[in-house]
Amino acid sequence: MKRLPTFLIAMFAMATTVAATPEWNHPKKDLHTAECDYTVGPEGVIYHNMGYPSNPPTFNGGWVTFSAENEGDPVSITFTDFNCLRGDKPVVFVYDGDEALKTSFTGYSKPAPEGYLVAMTPAETGIEYTAASGKLCVLYAAPAASSGTITGTYTATVTAGVPHDMAFVSATATNASTQAWRGAKNIPLLNFDIATDGTLNPLSIDNLSFDLTATAASGKVDNIRLYSTAEPKEEALVATLDEGETSFAVSGAVLKRTNPYSIYADVKPDVIGALAAPEVSALSVAGEPRQVDASAVATLEIANSILIAADKSHQIYTVGDDVAFFDAGGADGNIPMNSEGTATFIPATEGQSVKIDFSQFKLFDNSSAVSVGNNDVMKIYNGREALEENLIATLVESEKHQIICPRRLSDRVVQIKTRQRKPAAKRVGSHSVAVRPHADDIHRPRC
């Protein structure tokens, strides 16, 4: 089910075959069974959480064991992506050997035994942990739903072999998957990663510089930020681009196996078209300049479309030509759970009204859900404020609509608000809209 949306108008070669790295999910088993024993070698395996790519279940607890292919070799694990927690509490623990688990973790509801190498949090992402015994265990301990829901997933690389000095492997920049639209928040302008191999004598960044001259000069984005993670996490914020600045720089950072950086920005509400991506202008590691593969970096395109906010925020848009308007899930996604947002549309030409044509309109509407407030609702108002006296229409049915704001307020604006309570497994709730200025002298809504 979904909840109330509200809107306001106003890229000679010899072919070779390379075997894919094996990928294993943590078995959905309590404690430990034969299914939870794995053998690894230098080539390594990729290991995911129980239930991946979904969140792991809450009522389970057990461990997997990774043993070295060559008996006696150490086994190492690096979580390349990790955000699996119960609130801010760890539920994943890494051990050197399994003795503590065999003797103390005798039931899925038991707490994690002491003696672990690490209790994983996002802060430990990219760090390599090694079991010198040749047997590395990962415990997933999520004993009781009363302690809160488990959210997030994880992915790790597990290898076996003798540790060696760190060596630089590669540096890659990309933005190929970025999609941008008018007023979009937290858009990844660039993702960058330095990959290394080995853990002994770790290397450091001498200089990593990003050039944002063209990006900033476009005037199409603001709130440009650099993070030391792939996602925009507040605790990983490195710097914010101040007025007049055109670059970011990093130095002195000690490298891990994976070392992501990212640049995010907010798109201004009334801009479309090409946006130059940031560039990696310099990279020096361990006293040597390093090449950066930027073949997957392209000019970004800001689409002439608008998505309603999902975080209770309010955005104002100027409507000149037709613009596509979608729910917070976009053209193909679903409306996020517990989302609520407001958009105000203002005609570019003074004196015109704003017209909304729904080409798709599907909201969850069930009489049994009314009492608990779980139905989806869209309300459309005339003006800049969601005042009941300015209410044009309340839309709850899965039908197409056409709405023209009454021309009774001097600014000829319309505000739309949407709210959604529960998620949908399928796309049972969405809207696709064309918003355009309207010059006809029509004084009433048509639904």
Side-chain angles (χ1 to χ4, degrees), residues 364-396:
F364 180 85
D365 182 26
N366 189 309
S367 59
S368 64
V370 173
S371 61
V372 292
N374 282 336
N375 277 339
D376 299 346
V377 182
M378 176 182 290
K379 290 187 176 182
I380 302 179
Y381 300 84
N382 190 27
R384 296 175 183 266
E385 297 182 71
L387 303 175
E388 287 306 307
E389 58 264 33
N390 292 334
L391 181 64
I392 298 174
T394 299
L395 309 180
V396 295

PDB file of all heavy atoms in Angstrom, residues 364-396:
ATOM      1  N   PHE A 364      -3.188   3.265  -4.394  1.00  0.00           N
ATOM      2  CA  PHE A 364      -3.799   2.234  -3.564  1.00  0.00           C
ATOM      3  C   PHE A 364      -5.021   2.817  -2.879  1.00  0.00           C
ATOM      4  O   PHE A 364      -4.960   3.857  -2.228  1.00  0.00           O
ATOM      5  CB  PHE A 364      -2.803   1.728  -2.521  1.00  0.00           C
ATOM      6  CG  PHE A 364      -3.377   0.655  -1.637  1.00  0.00           C
ATOM      7  CD1 PHE A 364      -3.355  -0.673  -2.041  1.00  0.00           C
ATOM      8  CD2 PHE A 364      -3.969   0.965  -0.419  1.00  0.00           C
ATOM      9  CE1 PHE A 364      -3.901  -1.666  -1.244  1.00  0.00           C
ATOM     10  CE2 PHE A 364      -4.515  -0.022   0.382  1.00  0.00           C
ATOM     11  CZ  PHE A 364      -4.477  -1.341  -0.027  1.00  0.00           C
ATOM     12  N   ASP A 365      -6.146   2.143  -3.054  1.00  0.00           N
ATOM     13  CA  ASP A 365      -7.394   2.623  -2.477  1.00  0.00           C
ATOM     14  C   ASP A 365      -8.221   1.423  -2.053  1.00  0.00           C
ATOM     15  O   ASP A 365      -8.744   0.686  -2.871  1.00  0.00           O
ATOM     16  CB  ASP A 365      -8.161   3.471  -3.497  1.00  0.00           C
ATOM     17  CG  ASP A 365      -9.457   4.039  -2.923  1.00  0.00           C
ATOM     18  OD1 ASP A 365      -9.525   4.209  -1.695  1.00  0.00           O
ATOM     19  OD2 ASP A 365     -10.377   4.300  -3.718  1.00  0.00           O
ATOM     20  N   ASN A 366      -8.307   1.198  -0.761  1.00  0.00           N
ATOM     21  CA  ASN A 366      -9.029   0.055  -0.223  1.00  0.00           C
ATOM     22  C   ASN A 366      -9.834   0.521   0.971  1.00  0.00           C
ATOM     23  O   ASN A 366      -9.302   1.140   1.898  1.00  0.00           O
ATOM     24  CB  ASN A 366      -8.027  -1.040   0.189  1.00  0.00           C
ATOM     25  CG  ASN A 366      -8.701  -2.339   0.565  1.00  0.00           C
ATOM     26  OD1 ASN A 366      -9.625  -2.363   1.369  1.00  0.00           O
ATOM     27  ND2 ASN A 366      -8.219  -3.436  -0.015  1.00  0.00           N
ATOM     28  N   SER A 367     -11.106   0.237   0.974  1.00  0.00           N
ATOM     29  CA  SER A 367     -11.977   0.731   2.043  1.00  0.00           C
ATOM     30  C   SER A 367     -11.548   0.238   3.406  1.00  0.00           C
ATOM     31  O   SER A 367     -11.727   0.916   4.418  1.00  0.00           O
ATOM     32  CB  SER A 367     -13.422   0.308   1.774  1.00  0.00           C
ATOM     33  OG  SER A 367     -13.524  -1.113   1.691  1.00  0.00           O
ATOM     34  N   SER A 368     -10.957  -0.961   3.497  1.00  0.00           N
ATOM     35  CA  SER A 368     -10.544  -1.499   4.792  1.00  0.00           C
ATOM     36  C   SER A 368      -9.331  -0.794   5.355  1.00  0.00           C
ATOM     37  O   SER A 368      -8.983  -0.950   6.514  1.00  0.00           O
ATOM     38  CB  SER A 368     -10.243  -2.994   4.675  1.00  0.00           C
ATOM     39  OG  SER A 368      -9.134  -3.201   3.813  1.00  0.00           O
ATOM     40  N   ALA A 369      -8.651   0.004   4.520  1.00  0.00           N
ATOM     41  CA  ALA A 369      -7.434   0.685   4.968  1.00  0.00           C
ATOM     42  C   ALA A 369      -7.694   2.120   5.386  1.00  0.00           C
ATOM     43  O   ALA A 369      -6.809   2.788   5.911  1.00  0.00           O
ATOM     44  CB  ALA A 369      -6.382   0.669   3.868  1.00  0.00           C
ATOM     45  N   VAL A 370      -8.908   2.584   5.178  1.00  0.00           N
ATOM     46  CA  VAL A 370      -9.209   3.982   5.477  1.00  0.00           C
ATOM     47  C   VAL A 370      -8.995   4.307   6.941  1.00  0.00           C
ATOM     48  O   VAL A 370      -8.397   5.317   7.313  1.00  0.00           O
ATOM     49  CB  VAL A 370     -10.650   4.332   5.049  1.00  0.00           C
ATOM     50  CG1 VAL A 370     -11.021   5.725   5.511  1.00  0.00           C
ATOM     51  CG2 VAL A 370     -10.791   4.209   3.539  1.00  0.00           C
ATOM     52  N   SER A 371      -9.463   3.412   7.822  1.00  0.00           N
ATOM     53  CA  SER A 371      -9.410   3.693   9.255  1.00  0.00           C
ATOM     54  C   SER A 371      -8.001   3.798   9.801  1.00  0.00           C
ATOM     55  O   SER A 371      -7.770   4.470  10.809  1.00  0.00           O
ATOM     56  CB  SER A 371     -10.176   2.616  10.037  1.00  0.00           C
ATOM     57  OG  SER A 371      -9.589   1.345   9.812  1.00  0.00           O
ATOM     58  N   VAL A 372      -7.051   3.150   9.154  1.00  0.00           N
ATOM     59  CA  VAL A 372      -5.664   3.217   9.636  1.00  0.00           C
ATOM     60  C   VAL A 372      -4.833   4.164   8.796  1.00  0.00           C
ATOM     61  O   VAL A 372      -3.628   4.275   8.988  1.00  0.00           O
ATOM     62  CB  VAL A 372      -5.016   1.813   9.669  1.00  0.00           C
ATOM     63  CG1 VAL A 372      -5.668   0.956  10.722  1.00  0.00           C
ATOM     64  CG2 VAL A 372      -5.109   1.139   8.295  1.00  0.00           C
ATOM     65  N   GLY A 373      -5.439   4.842   7.845  1.00  0.00           N
ATOM     66  CA  GLY A 373      -4.751   5.871   7.067  1.00  0.00           C
ATOM     67  C   GLY A 373      -3.729   5.361   6.103  1.00  0.00           C
ATOM     68  O   GLY A 373      -2.723   6.031   5.849  1.00  0.00           O
ATOM     69  N   ASN A 374      -3.954   4.164   5.534  1.00  0.00           N
ATOM     70  CA  ASN A 374      -2.956   3.578   4.641  1.00  0.00           C
ATOM     71  C   ASN A 374      -3.260   3.758   3.165  1.00  0.00           C
ATOM     72  O   ASN A 374      -2.559   3.243   2.313  1.00  0.00           O
ATOM     73  CB  ASN A 374      -2.792   2.087   4.945  1.00  0.00           C
ATOM     74  CG  ASN A 374      -1.948   1.856   6.182  1.00  0.00           C
ATOM     75  OD1 ASN A 374      -1.151   2.702   6.545  1.00  0.00           O
ATOM     76  ND2 ASN A 374      -2.140   0.728   6.832  1.00  0.00           N
ATOM     77  N   ASN A 375      -4.347   4.439   2.844  1.00  0.00           N
ATOM     78  CA  ASN A 375      -4.635   4.696   1.438  1.00  0.00           C
ATOM     79  C   ASN A 375      -3.738   5.799   0.905  1.00  0.00           C
ATOM     80  O   ASN A 375      -3.283   6.672   1.635  1.00  0.00           O
ATOM     81  CB  ASN A 375      -6.100   5.102   1.258  1.00  0.00           C
ATOM     82  CG  ASN A 375      -7.018   3.896   1.183  1.00  0.00           C
ATOM     83  OD1 ASN A 375      -6.582   2.795   0.874  1.00  0.00           O
ATOM     84  ND2 ASN A 375      -8.290   4.091   1.480  1.00  0.00           N
ATOM     85  N   ASP A 376      -3.523   5.742  -0.424  1.00  0.00           N
ATOM     86  CA  ASP A 376      -2.786   6.814  -1.084  1.00  0.00           C
ATOM     87  C   ASP A 376      -3.745   7.947  -1.400  1.00  0.00           C
ATOM     88  O   ASP A 376      -4.897   7.710  -1.773  1.00  0.00           O
ATOM     89  CB  ASP A 376      -2.198   6.326  -2.401  1.00  0.00           C
ATOM     90  CG  ASP A 376      -1.213   5.191  -2.221  1.00  0.00           C
ATOM     91  OD1 ASP A 376      -0.795   4.970  -1.088  1.00  0.00           O
ATOM     92  OD2 ASP A 376      -0.864   4.546  -3.224  1.00  0.00           O
ATOM     93  N   VAL A 377      -3.248   9.134  -1.292  1.00  0.00           N
ATOM     94  CA  VAL A 377      -4.070  10.291  -1.608  1.00  0.00           C
ATOM     95  C   VAL A 377      -3.219  11.348  -2.282  1.00  0.00           C
ATOM     96  O   VAL A 377      -2.067  11.560  -1.915  1.00  0.00           O
ATOM     97  CB  VAL A 377      -4.708  10.903  -0.338  1.00  0.00           C
ATOM     98  CG1 VAL A 377      -5.595  12.072  -0.719  1.00  0.00           C
ATOM     99  CG2 VAL A 377      -5.519   9.858   0.412  1.00  0.00           C
ATOM    100  N   MET A 378      -3.764  11.986  -3.273  1.00  0.00           N
ATOM    101  CA  MET A 378      -3.141  13.144  -3.894  1.00  0.00           C
ATOM    102  C   MET A 378      -4.105  14.311  -3.781  1.00  0.00           C
ATOM    103  O   MET A 378      -5.286  14.191  -4.099  1.00  0.00           O
ATOM    104  CB  MET A 378      -2.822  12.878  -5.365  1.00  0.00           C
ATOM    105  CG  MET A 378      -2.250  14.088  -6.100  1.00  0.00           C
ATOM    106  SD  MET A 378      -1.957  13.741  -7.854  1.00  0.00           S
ATOM    107  CE  MET A 378      -0.565  12.614  -7.717  1.00  0.00           C
ATOM    108  N   LYS A 379      -3.589  15.423  -3.322  1.00  0.00           N
ATOM    109  CA  LYS A 379      -4.413  16.618  -3.223  1.00  0.00           C
ATOM    110  C   LYS A 379      -3.794  17.737  -4.049  1.00  0.00           C
ATOM    111  O   LYS A 379      -2.581  17.908  -4.064  1.00  0.00           O
ATOM    112  CB  LYS A 379      -4.560  17.062  -1.765  1.00  0.00           C
ATOM    113  CG  LYS A 379      -5.427  16.120  -0.933  1.00  0.00           C
ATOM    114  CD  LYS A 379      -5.683  16.688   0.460  1.00  0.00           C
ATOM    115  CE  LYS A 379      -6.630  15.783   1.240  1.00  0.00           C
ATOM    116  NZ  LYS A 379      -6.917  16.350   2.592  1.00  0.00           N
ATOM    117  N   ILE A 380      -4.642  18.472  -4.721  1.00  0.00           N
ATOM    118  CA  ILE A 380      -4.179  19.553  -5.585  1.00  0.00           C
ATOM    119  C   ILE A 380      -4.845  20.849  -5.136  1.00  0.00           C
ATOM    120  O   ILE A 380      -6.055  20.910  -4.945  1.00  0.00           O
ATOM    121  CB  ILE A 380      -4.513  19.257  -7.054  1.00  0.00           C
ATOM    122  CG1 ILE A 380      -3.859  17.920  -7.452  1.00  0.00           C
ATOM    123  CG2 ILE A 380      -4.052  20.384  -7.954  1.00  0.00           C
ATOM    124  CD1 ILE A 380      -4.134  17.502  -8.866  1.00  0.00           C
ATOM    125  N   TYR A 381      -4.008  21.862  -4.946  1.00  0.00           N
ATOM    126  CA  TYR A 381      -4.481  23.139  -4.439  1.00  0.00           C
ATOM    127  C   TYR A 381      -4.160  24.269  -5.413  1.00  0.00           C
ATOM    128  O   TYR A 381      -3.201  24.191  -6.169  1.00  0.00           O
ATOM    129  CB  TYR A 381      -3.809  23.467  -3.096  1.00  0.00           C
ATOM    130  CG  TYR A 381      -4.056  22.478  -1.989  1.00  0.00           C
ATOM    131  CD1 TYR A 381      -3.282  21.325  -1.881  1.00  0.00           C
ATOM    132  CD2 TYR A 381      -5.045  22.708  -1.034  1.00  0.00           C
ATOM    133  CE1 TYR A 381      -3.487  20.419  -0.858  1.00  0.00           C
ATOM    134  CE2 TYR A 381      -5.257  21.808   0.005  1.00  0.00           C
ATOM    135  CZ  TYR A 381      -4.479  20.662   0.082  1.00  0.00           C
ATOM    136  OH  TYR A 381      -4.686  19.775   1.096  1.00  0.00           O
ATOM    137  N   ASN A 382      -4.935  25.282  -5.359  1.00  0.00           N
ATOM    138  CA  ASN A 382      -4.646  26.501  -6.101  1.00  0.00           C
ATOM    139  C   ASN A 382      -3.872  27.427  -5.170  1.00  0.00           C
ATOM    140  O   ASN A 382      -4.334  27.731  -4.063  1.00  0.00           O
ATOM    141  CB  ASN A 382      -5.950  27.169  -6.545  1.00  0.00           C
ATOM    142  CG  ASN A 382      -5.698  28.292  -7.531  1.00  0.00           C
ATOM    143  OD1 ASN A 382      -4.702  28.280  -8.244  1.00  0.00           O
ATOM    144  ND2 ASN A 382      -6.593  29.260  -7.567  1.00  0.00           N
ATOM    145  N   GLY A 383      -2.684  27.833  -5.583  1.00  0.00           N
ATOM    146  CA  GLY A 383      -1.903  28.719  -4.744  1.00  0.00           C
ATOM    147  C   GLY A 383      -0.661  28.061  -4.200  1.00  0.00           C
ATOM    148  O   GLY A 383      -0.374  26.894  -4.452  1.00  0.00           O
ATOM    149  N   ARG A 384       0.077  28.807  -3.403  1.00  0.00           N
ATOM    150  CA  ARG A 384       1.363  28.360  -2.887  1.00  0.00           C
ATOM    151  C   ARG A 384       1.266  27.620  -1.565  1.00  0.00           C
ATOM    152  O   ARG A 384       2.249  27.077  -1.083  1.00  0.00           O
ATOM    153  CB  ARG A 384       2.298  29.570  -2.708  1.00  0.00           C
ATOM    154  CG  ARG A 384       2.641  30.268  -4.024  1.00  0.00           C
ATOM    155  CD  ARG A 384       3.447  31.514  -3.766  1.00  0.00           C
ATOM    156  NE  ARG A 384       3.732  32.231  -5.004  1.00  0.00           N
ATOM    157  CZ  ARG A 384       4.822  32.086  -5.724  1.00  0.00           C
ATOM    158  NH1 ARG A 384       5.758  31.250  -5.322  1.00  0.00           N
ATOM    159  NH2 ARG A 384       4.994  32.777  -6.828  1.00  0.00           N
ATOM    160  N   GLU A 385       0.118  27.617  -0.960  1.00  0.00           N
ATOM    161  CA  GLU A 385      -0.061  26.952   0.320  1.00  0.00           C
ATOM    162  C   GLU A 385      -1.171  25.925   0.230  1.00  0.00           C
ATOM    163  O   GLU A 385      -2.156  26.107  -0.496  1.00  0.00           O
ATOM    164  CB  GLU A 385      -0.384  27.967   1.416  1.00  0.00           C
ATOM    165  CG  GLU A 385       0.713  28.971   1.681  1.00  0.00           C
ATOM    166  CD  GLU A 385       0.346  29.912   2.808  1.00  0.00           C
ATOM    167  OE1 GLU A 385       0.323  29.441   3.966  1.00  0.00           O
ATOM    168  OE2 GLU A 385       0.059  31.082   2.544  1.00  0.00           O
ATOM    169  N   ALA A 386      -1.030  24.845   0.999  1.00  0.00           N
ATOM    170  CA  ALA A 386      -2.037  23.780   1.014  1.00  0.00           C
ATOM    171  C   ALA A 386      -3.157  24.154   1.977  1.00  0.00           C
ATOM    172  O   ALA A 386      -3.302  23.593   3.063  1.00  0.00           O
ATOM    173  CB  ALA A 386      -1.390  22.461   1.409  1.00  0.00           C
ATOM    174  N   LEU A 387      -3.956  25.120   1.572  1.00  0.00           N
ATOM    175  CA  LEU A 387      -5.082  25.577   2.378  1.00  0.00           C
ATOM    176  C   LEU A 387      -6.355  24.905   1.882  1.00  0.00           C
ATOM    177  O   LEU A 387      -6.615  24.837   0.678  1.00  0.00           O
ATOM    178  CB  LEU A 387      -5.217  27.098   2.294  1.00  0.00           C
ATOM    179  CG  LEU A 387      -3.975  27.903   2.710  1.00  0.00           C
ATOM    180  CD1 LEU A 387      -4.209  29.386   2.471  1.00  0.00           C
ATOM    181  CD2 LEU A 387      -3.620  27.621   4.167  1.00  0.00           C
ATOM    182  N   GLU A 388      -7.181  24.439   2.825  1.00  0.00           N
ATOM    183  CA  GLU A 388      -8.383  23.722   2.439  1.00  0.00           C
ATOM    184  C   GLU A 388      -9.316  24.565   1.580  1.00  0.00           C
ATOM    185  O   GLU A 388      -9.996  24.057   0.687  1.00  0.00           O
ATOM    186  CB  GLU A 388      -9.110  23.217   3.690  1.00  0.00           C
ATOM    187  CG  GLU A 388      -8.420  22.052   4.375  1.00  0.00           C
ATOM    188  CD  GLU A 388      -8.146  20.888   3.422  1.00  0.00           C
ATOM    189  OE1 GLU A 388      -9.103  20.435   2.758  1.00  0.00           O
ATOM    190  OE2 GLU A 388      -6.984  20.458   3.324  1.00  0.00           O
ATOM    191  N   GLU A 389      -9.351  25.868   1.814  1.00  0.00           N
ATOM    192  CA  GLU A 389     -10.220  26.713   1.005  1.00  0.00           C
ATOM    193  C   GLU A 389      -9.743  26.826  -0.441  1.00  0.00           C
ATOM    194  O   GLU A 389     -10.496  27.276  -1.322  1.00  0.00           O
ATOM    195  CB  GLU A 389     -10.352  28.111   1.614  1.00  0.00           C
ATOM    196  CG  GLU A 389      -9.038  28.843   1.790  1.00  0.00           C
ATOM    197  CD  GLU A 389      -8.463  28.699   3.190  1.00  0.00           C
ATOM    198  OE1 GLU A 389      -8.668  27.616   3.800  1.00  0.00           O
ATOM    199  OE2 GLU A 389      -7.843  29.652   3.674  1.00  0.00           O
ATOM    200  N   ASN A 390      -8.481  26.446  -0.700  1.00  0.00           N
ATOM    201  CA  ASN A 390      -7.945  26.486  -2.062  1.00  0.00           C
ATOM    202  C   ASN A 390      -7.839  25.096  -2.687  1.00  0.00           C
ATOM    203  O   ASN A 390      -7.186  24.919  -3.707  1.00  0.00           O
ATOM    204  CB  ASN A 390      -6.569  27.145  -2.073  1.00  0.00           C
ATOM    205  CG  ASN A 390      -6.636  28.623  -1.731  1.00  0.00           C
ATOM    206  OD1 ASN A 390      -7.659  29.265  -1.955  1.00  0.00           O
ATOM    207  ND2 ASN A 390      -5.553  29.143  -1.171  1.00  0.00           N
ATOM    208  N   LEU A 391      -8.468  24.098  -2.064  1.00  0.00           N
ATOM    209  CA  LEU A 391      -8.410  22.726  -2.575  1.00  0.00           C
ATOM    210  C   LEU A 391      -9.156  22.620  -3.905  1.00  0.00           C
ATOM    211  O   LEU A 391     -10.326  22.998  -4.007  1.00  0.00           O
ATOM    212  CB  LEU A 391      -9.031  21.757  -1.562  1.00  0.00           C
ATOM    213  CG  LEU A 391      -9.030  20.272  -1.952  1.00  0.00           C
ATOM    214  CD1 LEU A 391      -7.600  19.755  -2.053  1.00  0.00           C
ATOM    215  CD2 LEU A 391      -9.831  19.464  -0.935  1.00  0.00           C
ATOM    216  N   ILE A 392      -8.464  22.143  -4.938  1.00  0.00           N
ATOM    217  CA  ILE A 392      -9.081  21.942  -6.243  1.00  0.00           C
ATOM    218  C   ILE A 392      -9.650  20.527  -6.361  1.00  0.00           C
ATOM    219  O   ILE A 392     -10.773  20.325  -6.801  1.00  0.00           O
ATOM    220  CB  ILE A 392      -8.064  22.159  -7.380  1.00  0.00           C
ATOM    221  CG1 ILE A 392      -7.548  23.594  -7.355  1.00  0.00           C
ATOM    222  CG2 ILE A 392      -8.688  21.847  -8.733  1.00  0.00           C
ATOM    223  CD1 ILE A 392      -6.434  23.834  -8.344  1.00  0.00           C
ATOM    224  N   ALA A 393      -8.832  19.529  -5.976  1.00  0.00           N
ATOM    225  CA  ALA A 393      -9.262  18.143  -6.134  1.00  0.00           C
ATOM    226  C   ALA A 393      -8.531  17.251  -5.158  1.00  0.00           C
ATOM    227  O   ALA A 393      -7.378  17.504  -4.798  1.00  0.00           O
ATOM    228  CB  ALA A 393      -9.021  17.664  -7.566  1.00  0.00           C
ATOM    229  N   THR A 394      -9.219  16.188  -4.707  1.00  0.00           N
ATOM    230  CA  THR A 394      -8.627  15.106  -3.932  1.00  0.00           C
ATOM    231  C   THR A 394      -8.742  13.851  -4.771  1.00  0.00           C
ATOM    232  O   THR A 394      -9.853  13.419  -5.091  1.00  0.00           O
ATOM    233  CB  THR A 394      -9.341  14.922  -2.592  1.00  0.00           C
ATOM    234  OG1 THR A 394      -9.222  16.113  -1.823  1.00  0.00           O
ATOM    235  CG2 THR A 394      -8.727  13.759  -1.805  1.00  0.00           C
ATOM    236  N   LEU A 395      -7.623  13.263  -5.146  1.00  0.00           N
ATOM    237  CA  LEU A 395      -7.613  12.137  -6.069  1.00  0.00           C
ATOM    238  C   LEU A 395      -7.225  10.865  -5.341  1.00  0.00           C
ATOM    239  O   LEU A 395      -6.166  10.783  -4.719  1.00  0.00           O
ATOM    240  CB  LEU A 395      -6.623  12.391  -7.212  1.00  0.00           C
ATOM    241  CG  LEU A 395      -6.769  13.740  -7.938  1.00  0.00           C
ATOM    242  CD1 LEU A 395      -5.728  13.847  -9.041  1.00  0.00           C
ATOM    243  CD2 LEU A 395      -8.171  13.905  -8.506  1.00  0.00           C
ATOM    244  N   VAL A 396      -8.093   9.864  -5.391  1.00  0.00           N
ATOM    245  CA  VAL A 396      -7.839   8.586  -4.717  1.00  0.00           C
ATOM    246  C   VAL A 396      -8.120   7.399  -5.619  1.00  0.00           C
ATOM    247  O   VAL A 396      -7.830   6.269  -5.246  1.00  0.00           O
ATOM    248  CB  VAL A 396      -8.691   8.458  -3.438  1.00  0.00           C
ATOM    249  CG1 VAL A 396      -8.282   9.508  -2.415  1.00  0.00           C
ATOM    250  CG2 VAL A 396     -10.180   8.568  -3.763  1.00  0.00           C
TER     251      VAL A 396
END
